């Protein structure tokens, strides 16, 4: 999706919407900054993390990325702050902090 | 050449669905519609129809399965009655708003309570605004013809809306009448293969049913409304093409002995055939009485209706449904509203009758005409008139 401009509702009038509001361009959700409604942010403590990857496996939005150093990190552009990663982490290496406290 | 066979309305539907060569049938049996899925299941089991019959656990699932089938470009058919139509209500909006051209036959039935399985239009009126194209049938030939037509027009790329075909429960669904069945070759000429260009396919992924936040929902709804109203042109063209192939021509607003009529009865469904007998009698005695058969219910044929009534003094509108606490029966209220902007408009008198399968006889329609004309002249305190009710009806007031 790189290089594509994110279309918003204001690119459409009732005249140029697709029949049945079908989105013919698949996968364009990756263009959308779904992380902006997050209230809690996951914070990783690398001291506790043993790189098991459970957070990556369980993230329902695929928002956890594998870094070059082997650690996993939430991509805050997409992370909605659900807290599943923190919940499944056996070593309690992820804690959820309210955005306004950061 | 067509062949003339004796068919009950349910089997006329099944024959049309077979000849339309549907891909998927998903339906839950309910009286009085039961013979339709029963016959279709038999056709599939016997190999007379190469379709997938999905035995669903409810009407909600039946409609959902048809939505899914339509999404992959399959020709899908569903059928129900009364309570079943109510149960699938939310999915009806999904089908029309996502523009899936599925077809459903509805054997009209009164709604509980008290529990009724008999003919009444309450079920149809409750789904009036769901965005489906809706037509009412008078007899079993129309039942066959409208079912075929429904696939043809609904699937037209300029339309892409689902279609409901209404036939009165028992009065049509279980009554055997002669029906002309066409040759398969004629049907194939009228009804080409469905080519839905947004069919879901892993090779060409796309999103159906995305959510619509407040900044786009209104645009989506206006687009749907304009497309729905515009579809009327194609519906009329579909009837013209139907007539050219099969020899029977249909119109959204059908006039019966309406020439120079001063009083017109307005009906939907099979009761019109009884009312026509009374119109015949009145015409024979020189009374200027005629009838309007309102076949196309949605999109409402506003222009055609206004044209049909522009020189008439009195319209007597017969509703087979009550709109509880409303300004009249559902058909009557709509027609009153439709005529309001005309410079010269007829008096409108509403009747409610034939509820829950109550017979409306020739004698009842004699009363409807006489009393209707009296109310048109003198007025009445009641918002609508009734026919065939035991006990004097008072208290239907605003």
């Amino acid at each position: 999706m790189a290089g594509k401009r994110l279309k918003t509702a204001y690119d459409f009038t009732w005249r140029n919407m697709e029949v049945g509001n079908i989105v013919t361009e698949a996968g364009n959700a990756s263009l959308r900054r779904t992380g902006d409604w997050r209230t809690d942010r996951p914070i990783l403590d690398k001291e506790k993390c043993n790189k098991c990857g459970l957070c990556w496996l369980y993230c329902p939005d695929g928002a956890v990325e594998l870094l070059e150093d082997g650690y996993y990190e939430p991509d805050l552009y997409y992370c909605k702050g659900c807290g599943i990663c923190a919940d499944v982490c056996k070593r309690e290496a992820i804690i959820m902090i309210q955005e306004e406290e950061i | 050449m067509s062949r003339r066979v004796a068919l009950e309305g349910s089997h006329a539907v099944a024959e049309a669905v077979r000849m339309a060569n549907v891909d998927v049938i998903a339906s839950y049996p309910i009286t009085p519609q039961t013979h339709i899925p029963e016959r279709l299941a038999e056709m599939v089991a016997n190999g007379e129809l190469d379709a997938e019959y999905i035995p669903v656990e409810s009407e909600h699932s039946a409609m959902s399965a048809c939505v899914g089938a339509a999404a992959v470009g399959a020709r899908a058919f569903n059928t129900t009655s009364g309570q079943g139509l109510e149960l699938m209500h939310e999915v009806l909006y999904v089908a029309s708003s996502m523009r899936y051209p599925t077809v459903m036959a509805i054997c009209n039935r009164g709604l509980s309570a008290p529990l009724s399985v008999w003919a009444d239009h309450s079920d149809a009126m409750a789904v009036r605004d769901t965005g489906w194209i809706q037509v009412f049938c008078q007899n079993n030939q129309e039942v066959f013809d409208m079912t075929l037509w429904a696939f043809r027009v609904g699937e037209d790329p300029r339309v892409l809306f689902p279609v409901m075909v209404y036939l009165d429960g028992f009065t049509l669904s279980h009554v055997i009448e002669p029906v002309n069945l066409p040759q398969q070759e004629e049907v194939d000429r009228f009804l080409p293969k469905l080519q839905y260009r947004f069919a879901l396919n892993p090779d060409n992924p796309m999103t159906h049913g995305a959510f619509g936040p407040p900044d786009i929902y209104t645009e989506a709804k206006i687009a749907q409304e304009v497309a729905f109203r515009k579809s009327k042109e194609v519906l009329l063209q579909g009837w013209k093409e139907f007539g050219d192939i099969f020899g029977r021509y249909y119109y959204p607003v059908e006039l019966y002995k309406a020439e120079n009529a001063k009083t017109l009865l307005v009906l939907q469904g099979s009761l019109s055939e009884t009312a026509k007998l009374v119109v015949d009698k009145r015409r024979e005695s020189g009374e200027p009485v005629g009838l309007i058969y309102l076949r196309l219910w949605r999109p409402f044929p506003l222009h055609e209706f206004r044209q049909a009534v522009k020189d008439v003094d009195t319209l007597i509108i017969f509703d087979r449904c009550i709109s509880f606490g409303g300004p009249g029966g559902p058909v009557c209220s709509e027609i009153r509203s439709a005529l309001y902007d005309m410079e010269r408009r007829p008096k409108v008198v509403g009747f409610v009758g034939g509820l829950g399968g109550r017979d409306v006889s020739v004698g009842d329609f004699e009363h409807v005409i006489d009393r209707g004309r009296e109310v048109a002249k003198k007025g009445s305190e009641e918002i609508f008139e009734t026919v065939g009710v035991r006990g004097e009806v008072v208290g239907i007031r605003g």
Side-chain angles (χ1 to χ4, degrees):
Chain A
M1 286 295 158
K4 285 198 177 174
R5 191 179 74 83
L6 177 68
K7 275 188 182 173
T8 73
Y10 296 95
D11 289 309
F12 295 95
T13 71
W14 69 268
R15 286 174 178 277
N16 63 2
M17 292 177 66
E18 197 51 271
V19 167
N21 317 310
I22 285 163
V23 183
T24 52
E25 198 177 81
N28 67 13
S30 63
L31 289 171
R32 296 188 186 274
R33 186 177 175 175
T34 49
D36 64 357
W37 66 56
R38 184 179 58 246
T39 53
D40 288 350
R41 182 188 293 192
I43 303 289
L44 175 68
D45 181 350
K46 286 190 177 175
E47 294 288 310
K48 291 184 182 170
C49 174
N50 67 349
K51 305 176 182 176
C52 74
L54 274 182
C55 54
W56 170 84
L57 190 65
Y58 275 90
C59 176
D61 259 340
V64 176
E65 287 182 318
L66 174 61
L67 304 180
E68 278 182 12
D69 59 8
Y71 288 104
Y72 293 88
E73 197 174 68
D75 182 340
L76 296 177
Y77 191 80
Y78 299 118
C79 170
K80 298 185 178 97
C82 71
I84 287 176
C85 54
D87 193 63
V88 299
C89 180
K90 301 290 183 199
R91 296 172 68 92
E92 298 180 355
I94 302 172
I95 52 167
M96 302 301 292
I97 308 274
Q98 282 208 355
E99 282 289 337
E100 58 203 47
E101 287 173 14
I102 292 169
Chain B
M1 275 301 290
S2 64
R3 60 200 169 95
R4 196 166 164 81
V5 296
L7 284 180
E8 60 170 51
S10 301
H11 290 172
V13 170
E15 281 302 316
V17 172
R18 181 181 67 78
M19 297 192 101
N21 197 14
V22 300
D23 301 305
V24 173
I25 300 154
S27 169
Y28 192 81
I30 180 170
T31 305
Q33 152 269 32
T34 321
H35 290 183
I36 302 174
E38 199 173 82
R39 182 75 190 99
L40 285 170
E42 194 175 58
M43 286 170 168
V44 172
N46 291 348
E48 296 169 70
L49 172 59
D50 182 16
E52 191 72 36
Y53 189 103
I54 306 177
V56 286
E57 73 274 45
S58 76
E59 285 84 359
H60 190 280
S61 306
M63 196 57 243
S64 302
C66 285
V67 162
V72 297
R75 182 172 284 164
F77 177 77
N78 187 6
T79 170
T80 192
S81 280
Q83 306 300 124
L85 188 57
E86 293 297 287
L87 184 57
M88 60 175 77
H89 196 104
E90 64 160 325
V91 195
L92 299 176
Y93 281 90
V94 175
S96 60
S97 305
M98 292 176 69
R99 310 283 299 272
Y100 293 144
T102 179
V103 170
M104 177 152 59
I106 289 140
C107 299
N108 295 111
R109 155 180 166 171
L111 296 173
S112 293
L115 197 155
S116 169
V117 294
W118 295 276
D120 180 311
H121 293 166
S122 303
D123 54 358
M125 295 304 151
V127 298
R128 184 184 64 177
D129 297 333
T130 53
W132 284 57
I133 294 161
Q134 295 163 55
V135 284
F136 280 90
C137 299
Q138 301 180 92
N139 54 52
N140 291 350
Q141 183 68 61
E142 285 190 18
V143 167
F144 178 88
D145 293 351
M146 290 307 125
T147 307
L148 264 193
W149 168 87
F151 287 106
R152 165 72 178 73
V153 294
E155 294 172 3
D156 190 299
R158 296 165 293 174
V159 177
L160 292 178
F161 281 107
V163 188
M164 288 184 198
V165 176
Y166 293 126
L167 56 149
D168 285 335
F170 292 113
T171 322
L172 292 181
S173 67
H174 286 59
V175 168
I176 296 174
E177 291 182 337
V179 175
N180 285 307
L181 290 184
Q183 297 288 314
Q184 186 64 52
E185 171 274 317
E186 293 171 307
V187 173
D188 295 344
R189 195 143 46 90
F190 177 68
L191 183 62
K193 274 197 177 332
L194 169 59
Q195 293 192 325
Y196 173 56
R197 75 184 170 99
F198 301 109
L200 286 177
N201 184 332
D203 295 335
N204 179 27
M206 59 179 90
T207 302
H208 286 213
F211 83 141
D215 57 9
I216 199 131
Y217 187 85
T218 309
E219 282 73 17
K221 289 291 125 179
I222 295 297
Q224 181 182 346
E225 166 72 338
V226 173
F228 191 53
R229 286 178 182 273
K230 207 166 183 318
S231 76
K232 193 179 77 180
E233 295 162 24
V234 183
L235 308 186
L236 304 192
Q237 193 190 330
W239 274 325
K240 168 77 170 59
E241 284 170 21
F242 186 96
D244 291 346
I245 293 178
F246 303 106
R248 292 179 295 279
Y249 290 88
Y250 292 104
Y251 303 93
V253 174
E254 204 163 88
L255 302 176
Y256 182 77
K257 300 195 174 175
E259 207 176 325
N260 302 321
K262 292 293 161 207
T263 303
L264 285 179
L265 279 168
V266 181
L267 285 112
Q268 293 177 311
S270 61
L271 280 180
S272 65
E273 300 218 326
T274 311
K276 283 175 185 173
L277 297 173
V278 184
V279 169
D280 290 348
K281 278 174 71 178
R282 297 293 174 113
R283 281 290 183 175
E284 273 168 32
S285 58
E287 288 180 51
V289 175
L291 183 144
I292 287 182
Y293 183 68
L294 183 52
R295 172 172 291 115
L296 181 62
W297 180 225
R298 281 294 185 275
F300 188 85
L302 198 63
H303 171 73
E304 290 82 353
F305 198 91
R306 284 179 177 167
Q307 279 298 113
V309 304
K310 65 180 166 37
D311 299 320
V312 173
D313 292 335
T314 306
L315 278 184
I316 302 174
I317 295 159
F318 196 93
D319 265 291
R320 222 172 169 179
C321 170
I322 292 181
S323 163
F324 295 108
V331 182
C332 185
S333 304
E334 284 213 356
I335 288 174
R336 264 209 199 98
S337 167
L339 304 184
Y340 187 79
D341 290 331
M342 290 173 76
E343 277 195 16
R344 182 193 175 280
R345 53 179 186 252
K347 284 261 184 195
V348 173
V349 181
F351 272 83
V352 168
L355 300 180
R358 174 68 60 88
D359 197 23
V360 185
S361 64
V362 165
D364 290 332
F365 278 115
E366 300 275 12
H367 168 75
V368 166
I369 292 171
D370 293 337
R371 174 68 185 150
R373 287 197 292 209
E374 191 184 332
V375 171
K377 205 177 287 174
K378 297 182 190 160
S380 167
E381 284 196 63
E382 306 302 318
I383 285 172
F384 59 78
E385 300 294 309
T386 52
V387 62
V389 182
R390 289 185 297 277
E392 191 194 351
V393 178
V394 287
I396 300 174
R397 298 175 191 184

